[in-house]
Amino acid sequence: MNVREKLEALEHEYLCEYATFSDQSKGRDVEEPMCDVRTIFQRDRDRILHSKSFRRLKQKTQVFLSPEGDHYRTRLTHTLEVSQTARTIARALRLNEELTEAIALGHDLGHTPFGHAGERALNEVCSKGFKHNEQSIRVVECLEKKGKGLNLTVEVRDGIRNHKTTGAPNTLEGKIVQLADKIAYINHDIDDAIRGGILLEDDLPKDCTKFLGNSTRNRLNTIIHDVIANSEGKGDIVCSAEIRQAMTGLRSFLFENVYTNPVAKGEEGKAKRMLQELFHYYVTKPEKMPEEYVAMMEAGQDREIVVCDYIAGMTDNYAVMKFQEAFEPSGWKR
């Protein structure tokens, strides 16, 4: 018996009946020999971690555009916080932690530069629409590894595709990531807003903080404990009505006071216009894109979709550079 088989056997001894077992995975679209050391979900996690799209997350906006300071979240640090929260819940409930981690690390691979402003920008100009969760699937299936994709398992791709609020993951591990995403961004966006001088802790609605707590640490502790207590021994991932209502209240408060605040979002209109101008530029001049994207169109892929692939894969800084390259006279460049 090799190491992987021992690990699979241990899963059946330790994980609960509702867990997704590695040796019962629905597998990959393209069959591959099994690793003798890692389980199938460990391999998925490692493929995501070593992908180029994962590395680019470090220079993509979470909420604050071009923040003046090193401690604001990026799309990468958000992803890592989602992973940590999701793994904590999965381990406590004796669900498959490796599947949970793989979904968490991959859930935002398709996110645009400039956060949700970039997503809205592409969704408005692309006739096919644009959603970052679907783009994340396109990244792992079609774009990584020079068009070969990462050949991830059915379960990991399902969790990535369905991590948004409107999604319906088919595994409890996917449901954990779906909830952990909200837990993470509600709490770290409050933390960043306080750091940026937009909010004070005392500004948060008291009908929410009386249930959740008056610090990021206390809120995370309260929510995670509540999810574990209310999900244990059940075939679902749930929290109590009080905590769910308090989280919804904080989320609404953030939309009203942070996500539309001019300090955090003052440059958002410029970012949207920049990406939309880049979209129109590359649609009319596709030869200006790298050869791999031109080849995709020559192979029959839709031009607008390929342009979205290119722009969505950009970091914030790279998008600014390509905009300057396309629209600024060369003599103006510093």
Side-chain angles (χ1 to χ4, degrees):
M1 183 181 290
N2 61 32
V3 173
R4 171 185 52 79
E5 291 170 340
K6 291 177 182 177
L7 293 174
E8 291 170 347
L10 285 172
E11 286 185 358
H12 285 279
E13 292 179 17
Y14 176 73
L15 298 184
C16 77
E17 61 182 305
Y18 302 110
T20 304
F21 295 95
S22 298
D23 61 359
Q24 295 176 3
S25 169
K26 295 178 182 178
R28 311 179 187 281
D29 287 351
V30 179
E31 289 189 18
E32 302 175 7
M34 297 294 288
C35 178
D36 63 343
V37 173
R38 296 168 298 166
T39 67
I40 197 167
F41 299 135
Q42 281 182 287
R43 293 184 79 186
D44 280 4
R45 176 202 61 197
D46 294 349
R47 290 177 184 188
I48 291 168
L49 191 64
H50 291 287
S51 68
K52 291 190 295 184
S53 51
F54 183 80
R55 294 195 293 275
R56 289 196 297 267
L57 295 177
K58 67 182 178 181
Q59 292 184 346
K60 291 192 178 190
T61 291
Q62 175 62 23
V63 171
F64 285 76
L65 293 176
S66 301
E68 294 182 2
D70 294 332
H71 298 138
Y72 292 91
R73 272 70 171 192
T74 65
R75 189 60 58 178
L76 177 61
T77 56
H78 161 73
T79 294
L80 295 176
E81 291 185 36
V82 172
S83 177
Q84 183 273 329
T85 297
R87 288 176 57 202
T88 297
I89 296 171
R91 182 177 294 185
L93 295 175
R94 292 188 296 124
L95 296 170
N96 196 312
E97 190 176 342
E98 288 153 0
L99 170 58
T100 304
E101 184 178 22
I103 295 170
L105 293 179
H107 82 281
D108 270 353
L109 291 180
H111 227 301
T112 58
F114 309 117
H116 287 287
E119 181 175 19
R120 289 192 294 271
L122 293 184
N123 188 52
E124 289 173 8
V125 292
C126 179
S127 63
K128 311 298 188 298
F130 182 92
K131 296 179 180 179
H132 80 269
N133 59 316
E134 294 294 342
Q135 186 65 20
S136 294
I137 291 297
R138 187 161 167 81
V139 167
V140 300
E141 289 184 346
C142 307
L143 301 179
E144 274 289 340
K145 306 288 285 187
K146 298 182 178 180
K148 295 178 182 179
L150 300 180
N151 197 29
L152 302 181
T153 58
V154 170
E155 293 83 2
V156 171
R157 286 179 288 147
D158 170 77
I160 291 172
R161 175 177 280 115
N162 289 292
H163 78 269
K164 293 178 67 175
T165 303
T166 54
N170 288 317
T171 65
L172 293 193
E173 291 83 359
K175 289 185 177 184
I176 288 175
V177 174
Q178 185 182 48
L179 183 56
D181 187 30
K182 297 175 183 60
I183 295 171
Y185 75 66
I186 286 172
N187 283 285
H188 65 50
D189 290 352
I190 290 172
D191 189 45
D192 280 354
I194 292 173
R195 177 174 290 108
I198 294 174
L199 294 177
L200 296 173
E201 179 68 41
D202 288 342
D203 293 332
L204 300 178
K206 299 298 186 290
D207 59 338
C208 299
T209 57
K210 72 178 180 180
F211 290 109
L212 300 178
N214 292 300
S215 70
T216 298
R217 177 182 178 181
N218 289 338
R219 283 188 286 272
L220 285 170
N221 187 62
T222 298
I223 297 170
I224 290 170
H225 276 79
D226 185 86
V227 172
I228 293 168
N230 285 277
S231 303
E232 192 166 11
K234 300 177 182 177
D236 202 1
I237 304 300
V238 294
C239 54
S240 66
E242 293 84 1
I243 296 301
R244 182 174 63 251
Q245 184 174 357
M247 286 179 62
T248 300
L250 276 186
R251 187 170 181 268
S252 298
F253 176 83
L254 287 171
F255 271 97
E256 294 173 7
N257 296 277
V258 176
Y259 301 146
T260 57
N261 188 288
V263 177
K265 297 297 187 180
E267 302 294 296
E268 193 171 272
K270 297 177 185 177
K272 281 186 64 177
R273 288 192 294 273
M274 178 166 38
L275 294 191
Q276 290 177 341
E277 289 294 331
L278 281 175
F279 177 86
H280 295 304
Y281 177 76
Y282 289 122
V283 164
T284 55
K285 298 182 179 181
E287 71 279 1
K288 296 294 185 179
M289 292 191 294
E291 289 183 8
E292 61 191 278
Y293 296 96
V294 175
M296 289 166 62
M297 290 183 293
E298 291 175 347
Q301 295 200 39
D302 184 272
R303 180 179 296 189
E304 289 191 12
I305 297 297
V306 174
V307 170
C308 283
D309 289 339
Y310 182 42
I311 295 174
M314 295 178 178
T315 62
D316 293 9
N317 291 340
Y318 187 76
V320 172
M321 183 186 75
K322 298 310 288 186
F323 180 83
Q324 292 172 336
E325 182 181 291
F327 295 104
E328 285 189 6
S330 57
W332 291 7
K333 291 182 172 57
R334 296 179 181 87

